[in-house]
Amino acid sequence: MKEVAELLKAKGLKVTPQRIAIFHMLCNTVEHPSAETIYKSLQETHPTMSLATVYKTLDALKKAELVQELNVGEDSFRYDAKVHSHPHLICLSCNHVYDLHTDLLQDLREKVAQDTDFELFSEKIYFYGICPECQKK
Ligand code: ZN
Ligand code: MN
């Protein structure tokens, strides 16, 4: 928790219990939760925190580049404390969002730069499908 407060401070953000709680949660999950999911999961420990506060806090964390927002389609946003560019897999059945661990991205970047003469800064890559768990159902 202390580290989380330090990270907030380093980015010039005022350290509030809400910011610590939300950022701490995002740093300790691989689930890519939505604002609603974050709100629900913190209700027990932070019963006075409103959904509006969760949105406002996510906005501040996003602007400070401590979290990234993933647009997973149909105005649905998910949050990730891993801010470096990395590909995601999205299950269209359970809506889980997974990190894709691959070393193919470096090759892809080089190929795209070569083929287009673009000076590339970033990319957003999403794969959509049905996860192994949902295929069993
Ligand atoms: Zn699934
Ligand atoms: Mn991710």
Side-chain angles (χ1 to χ4, degrees):
M1 287 294 223
K2 209 170 156 227
E3 273 168 51
V4 167
E6 293 304 318
L7 278 167
L8 292 173
K9 251 189 248 171
K11 290 282 185 176
L13 284 183
K14 216 173 94 186
V15 179
T16 65
Q18 290 94 335
R19 284 177 178 175
I20 290 179
I22 291 171
F23 189 48
H24 183 262
M25 186 218 162
L26 281 170
C27 288
N28 290 285
T29 180
V30 293
E31 297 275 319
H32 304 88
S34 65
E36 287 81 3
T37 308
I38 295 169
Y39 169 68
K40 279 182 202 142
S41 77
L42 291 176
Q43 255 182 343
E44 212 171 291
T45 49
H46 297 76
T48 58
M49 183 155 53
S50 68
L51 183 56
T53 300
V54 173
Y55 276 112
K56 257 187 270 170
T57 303
L58 286 170
D59 208 47
L61 292 172
K62 202 172 73 185
K63 282 189 184 131
E65 293 176 348
L66 287 169
V67 306
Q68 64 166 314
E69 187 178 64
L70 309 174
N71 184 347
V72 298
E74 290 175 16
D75 288 326
S76 170
F77 297 98
R78 310 282 285 258
Y79 296 88
D80 193 343
K82 283 198 212 90
V83 288
H84 67 276
S85 177
H86 59 280
H88 290 95
L89 290 152
I90 298 169
C91 175
L92 296 169
S93 174
C94 66
N95 296 316
H96 272 74
V97 178
Y98 301 90
D99 285 336
L100 173 64
H101 303 282
T102 173
D103 48 17
L104 291 173
L105 203 56
Q106 195 49 39
D107 290 346
L108 180 63
R109 280 187 193 124
E110 275 163 30
K111 176 98 175 86
V112 172
Q114 225 168 48
D115 290 356
T116 64
D117 284 331
F118 255 64
E119 184 190 352
L120 298 170
F121 300 135
S122 66
E123 68 286 309
K124 290 188 197 299
I125 300 175
Y126 297 105
F127 293 92
Y128 296 88
I130 307 293
C131 76
E133 283 306 309
C134 289
Q135 288 175 49
K136 285 183 212 148
K137 286 174 203 160

